Amino acid sequence: MEISINPGEIKNWDGSTLILGVFADDFEKQLGKLELPKGISLAARLKENNFHGKTGELFSCNFLESTPNKFILIGLGQPENLLLNDLRKAAAIGARASIGNSGKLGIILPWDLFTPESVIKATGEAVRLSLFEDNRFRSKPEPKVLPKSLEFFGITKSAEKYLREISPICAGVELARELVGAPPNKLTPSVLAEEAVSIASEYGLEVKILNRQECQERKMGAYLAVAQGSDLTPKFIHLTYRPKGEVKQRVALVGKGLTFDSGGYNLKVGAAQIEMMKFDMGGSAAVIGAARAIAELAPKDIEVHFIVAACENMVNGSAVHPGDIVHASNGKTIEINNTDAEGRLTLADALVYACELRPNAIVDLATLTGACVIALGDEIAGLWTTDDHLGEALINAANNSGEGIWRMPLKDSYKEGLKSMLADIKNTGPRAGGSITAGLFLKEFVDSKIPWAHIDIAGTVWTDKDRGIDPAGATGYGVRTLVNWICHFIKRS
Ligand code: BES
Ligand code: MN
Ligand code: ZN
């Protein structure tokens, strides 16, 4: 979808559909200021149809003889309450209502309440992402007519430079949604690795894939223990973005990549929703989606590593027994008291690997704990970090991109819950505070001199209900935050 700024007037425009946001109460006045084609009296139509301009209210009407011929009005409530997220939602509702019209789509919202940069990115992303649909697994997808382009009206032409990020970021989110949405028989660790290789060759990233034997040589006993109960071979994926010119800092992004999590011998039963566990590679999808976007955006001065220890958690005769003790690549021994706490085992070795690259910061994303879903629901990810500056930058990046995040504590005394009678640590603590002990477990595998943050996306990776900007299904959560962080919010030295 082509996106641009149109400095002209609606009455001279050749588009087919116009999205208009209006505040409650005085929309007559607001619409009066617009120069619409002759004969169009929107205010009268709105009144006739009892439209009040309440937040999210939608009204659309057609004027057969006019250009544009379809007007989509969206209520914005009271101006003093308007948030950037309300503009995102309005843009998404408008975009959905434009389906069926193949021409140009225009949009006018009260831009001047925010910076041009933030409104352009927020609403451009919202329009494109709300129109996403995954039809890869239908034999006869219903054909859908979508607008061919999007034009912003009423924004200064000089804001054009802010358009460039929309398409790479949305393509990254869409890639992440497709990776997460793909079922576990189609998206295996090997397929995920092939995806990474093809992204690397298409966008010019370095790529390294370690097979089982190479991981054994690196003594990644925690990761390989998870993989050993599956017929599918593990793949350790490492992509690198190198900027042209001098490198001033280096960061590593690590994503949990369980293409399926059965729970292992601690099998997921009852309400555990085993059939959803294809989404257990959501962290890796966010990291690979971000890799695609970053490669295209080519930020200066910063080298970025993307790391995924991909495998499946299954049961067979060689699967891990509950109670096994394994050796991670930093030499620590782990008693696996619960085979369903597998993500942290794979991340342990991935984090050790990331530390060896001596980055200035490490961020991991993982669908790590059901406890995080209980704490924060499906619109807010949990953030744990050892570094306040890193935490603040990530929170700002997430807020700016409309992704929910909330900082949670790494309460040291809870480490008590991970004490093992025999090994250095066990992989599972008590039920209470389960997402905190998971974070504390990961911390054991990160060099304390390297600022590190962990984002638990177990709730946000997926949405059962359609949220407008996020259609039901995989959300692609994390791509926008990561790309925003690297391109805008990271502290540059
Ligand atoms: N992948 C799951 C976490 C999960 C659960 C994500 C529900 C999304 C929805 C993870 O591997 C897991 O099974 N965690 C266990 C940990 C427990 C055994 C300590 C959990 O949360 O139940
Ligand atoms: Mn599990
Ligand atoms: Zn898992």
Side-chain angles (χ1 to χ4, degrees):
M1 173 185 255
E2 207 55 54
I3 305 184
S4 60
I5 293 176
N6 189 328
E9 306 250 10
I10 298 293
K11 62 176 187 202
N12 308 321
W13 182 51
D14 63 347
S16 67
T17 310
L18 183 66
I19 300 173
L20 274 168
V22 285
F23 289 116
D25 306 332
D26 73 335
F27 48 77
E28 274 187 272
K29 213 164 104 198
Q30 295 168 57
L31 294 172
K33 286 188 201 144
L34 283 173
E35 287 209 56
L36 296 177
K38 282 209 174 56
I40 305 277
S41 53
L42 284 176
R45 287 275 183 116
L46 291 177
K47 271 203 173 145
E48 265 165 43
N49 287 278
N50 260 325
F51 181 88
H52 295 288
K54 283 186 303 218
T55 305
E57 199 178 344
L58 167 69
F59 175 75
S60 72
C61 54
N62 291 289
F63 293 86
L64 288 178
E65 301 301 317
S66 103
T67 306
N69 60 34
K70 182 173 180 141
F71 292 82
I72 299 169
L73 288 111
I74 306 179
L76 296 171
Q78 301 299 333
E80 58 274 20
N81 300 332
L82 193 80
L83 304 172
L84 192 55
N85 249 342
D86 297 322
L87 292 190
R88 283 192 177 91
K89 284 183 194 151
I93 294 170
R96 287 288 180 78
S98 78
I99 294 175
N101 248 305
S102 63
K104 298 177 177 176
L105 177 64
I107 186 165
I108 305 180
L109 290 171
W111 309 120
D112 42 8
L113 296 179
F114 306 92
T115 65
E117 177 170 14
S118 53
V119 284
I120 283 178
K121 276 180 65 184
T123 54
E125 288 172 8
V127 166
R128 172 147 165 195
L129 294 175
S130 67
L131 296 175
F132 172 83
E133 212 178 43
D134 189 353
N135 281 316
R136 291 170 298 164
F137 306 107
R138 293 189 207 282
S139 59
K140 291 190 192 72
E142 260 178 58
K144 206 157 253 175
V145 176
L146 297 177
K148 70 161 180 264
S149 62
L150 174 67
E151 298 179 28
F152 289 93
F153 285 90
I155 295 186
T156 150
K157 192 83 175 157
S158 66
E160 228 157 26
K161 53 184 176 290
Y162 305 126
L163 294 169
R164 73 177 276 268
E165 287 187 19
I166 297 174
S167 165
I169 289 177
C170 291
V173 175
E174 288 162 356
L175 170 62
R177 285 178 179 178
E178 289 189 344
L179 291 172
V180 171
N185 61 331
K186 306 280 183 193
L187 192 98
T188 61
S190 295
V191 172
L192 190 63
E194 281 161 25
E195 281 289 334
V197 170
S198 79
I199 283 156
S201 70
E202 191 165 346
Y203 299 99
L205 297 166
E206 252 174 60
V207 61
K208 188 152 91 181
I209 310 286
L210 308 181
N211 61 22
R212 193 193 306 263
Q213 198 197 327
E214 290 163 309
C215 294
Q216 266 155 2
E217 283 157 16
R218 288 169 178 270
K219 304 201 175 338
M220 295 180 167
Y223 165 45
L224 292 174
V226 177
Q228 80 194 27
S230 169
D231 291 345
L232 303 180
T233 189
K235 294 285 177 185
F236 190 100
I237 302 164
H238 176 189
L239 295 170
T240 308
Y241 164 73
R242 290 184 205 283
K244 291 210 174 73
E246 194 194 348
V247 174
K248 293 194 179 147
Q249 59 185 319
R250 185 180 304 130
V251 300
L253 306 179
V254 180
K256 172 173 170 182
L258 267 290
T259 60
F260 187 69
D261 174 17
S262 71
Y265 276 99
N266 292 96
L267 192 67
K268 289 192 182 289
V269 289
Q273 287 218 304
I274 190 171
E275 75 282 7
M276 293 309 300
M277 286 302 147
K278 65 173 184 180
F279 69 39
D280 215 15
M281 35 59 70
S284 68
V287 162
I288 293 173
R292 187 211 179 284
I294 285 165
E296 210 177 333
L297 290 170
K300 273 196 214 119
D301 312 335
I302 184 161
E303 181 180 300
V304 189
H305 296 267
F306 309 89
I307 296 159
V308 177
C311 65
E312 244 194 353
N313 187 23
M314 298 292 276
V315 277
N316 66 17
S318 29
V320 162
H321 318 83
D324 279 0
I325 293 177
V326 298
H327 296 248
S329 46
N330 67 344
K332 288 198 178 165
T333 60
I334 305 164
E335 179 184 1
I336 302 178
N337 60 328
N338 190 321
T339 60
D340 199 10
E342 83 300 334
R344 61 195 78 179
L345 295 169
T346 66
L347 288 168
D349 284 324
L351 288 167
V352 171
Y353 181 98
C355 288
E356 283 165 10
L357 303 167
R358 305 312 305 166
N360 305 89
I362 298 176
V363 179
D364 78 68
L365 277 87
T367 47
L368 203 62
T369 65
C372 188
V373 191
I374 300 299
L376 299 173
D378 67 3
E379 292 185 32
I380 305 171
L383 168 76
W384 285 260
T385 182
T386 50
D387 186 286
D388 292 345
H389 293 293
L390 174 59
E392 200 187 312
L394 285 167
I395 289 169
N396 289 339
N399 289 341
N400 179 270
S401 48
E403 295 192 312
I405 201 162
W406 196 256
R407 185 163 177 190
M408 303 279 274
L410 273 171
K411 179 84 179 152
D412 253 336
S413 58
Y414 288 13
K415 237 183 80 183
E416 194 71 19
L418 294 173
K419 272 209 170 128
S420 161
M421 217 182 317
L422 293 164
D424 297 340
I425 193 170
K426 58 183 186 185
N427 72 333
T428 309
R431 236 165 82 83
S435 56
I436 299 177
T437 40
L440 288 167
F441 178 91
L442 297 181
K443 185 168 170 248
E444 291 302 301
F445 300 89
V446 180
D447 182 329
S448 60
K449 288 191 226 44
I450 302 176
W452 159 74
H454 155 61
I455 303 178
D456 194 332
I457 61 168
T460 56
V461 68
W462 190 268
T463 177
D464 287 327
K465 58 171 196 286
D466 182 354
R467 294 189 205 138
I469 178 162
D470 296 314
T475 58
Y477 182 97
V479 174
R480 280 165 281 174
T481 296
L482 290 175
V483 176
N484 235 343
W485 174 59
I486 285 171
C487 293
H488 302 290
F489 287 89
I490 200 169
K491 222 179 26 195
R492 297 207 182 242
S493 31

